[in-house]
Amino acid sequence: MSRYSRGARGQLKSGRRTISPFGVVHRVIRDDEVNDFFADITKESKELPDVEFRDDVGKLTKTKRPVYFFNPQRLRLRIVERSLTEKIGKQNKFKWNQAEKARIQQTVVDELGQYDVGGRRLLAQMAVVPSLGDAELADAGYHSVAIGPSAESPIAQFFAREHEIAVNGLRRRPHNPDSEEKDRKVDNDPYTPHISIGRIVHGTPPDVHTQVIELVQRHLPLDVKLDPLEFTPKEYE
């Protein structure tokens, strides 16, 4: 939920409405190919053995399916995670506001214009299952399972460039001739373009974990259509 900085008599200060940390994504367009991919991997995953959980004396307490796949209607290829903008805010002791988000968005659009893809849909081939760490999922008791383009492919290099441009926009402060402040600190993590498609239950035996990855890999490559770059969540725009 948005938070508001109020001036005298409760009036909003222009452009100072604070907002939640935001992300930068390409939405995946759901089509027959995507639907078939999820139908196939979901069906095959039901043949995998359940994960068993036991108490201290070895008594079976519950079982879970080893993997859960997401709703293909809500898939995103993430260029900048919301957790990164949140971390930048905390590192630099400030809160994001609407004007900052709009400035960064325009910077990204302007710099990407040289690639002549602004406002157009992209076609990208997902060819690998990258190994990704996800601290939030791990805390919730899961591991991420994702798909992504081959690292050496031109589209992967393009996504990496989008990431660099967006992070550089996050790094810069608005121009202020009277300010001697330097650019913001950004401790950026290595970027791997990917689409999170599901989660593997924590406690899944290594051999079953491997079977999940191999199952997904068998159904690649997958061509996906992507909407133009956007900043999320959209309700703050």
Side-chain angles (χ1 to χ4, degrees), residues 125-137:
Q125 186 178 87
M126 302 295 107
V128 298
V129 184
S131 297
L132 300 170
D134 189 318
E136 291 183 9
L137 269 184

Side-chain angles (χ1 to χ4, degrees), residues 150-169:
S150 298
E152 69 277 6
S153 67
I155 196 67
Q157 295 167 27
F158 173 71
F159 292 141
R161 183 57 185 144
E162 283 188 322
H163 175 81
E164 292 168 356
I165 290 171
V167 170
N168 284 338

Side-chain angles (χ1 to χ4, degrees), residues 20 31 34 42 50-51 66 74 76-77 83 95 105 110 114 121 125 140 149 154 179 193 208 214 221 229-230:
S20 298
D31 59 14
V34 170
T42 300
D50 287 344
V51 180
R74 301 176 60 83
R76 311 283 187 269
L77 189 146
S83 59
K95 296 184 182 298
Q105 187 164 4
D110 289 346
Q114 63 182 302
R121 287 181 171 176
Q125 186 178 87
S179 175
V208 179
E214 291 175 343
L229 205 64
E230 69 178 51

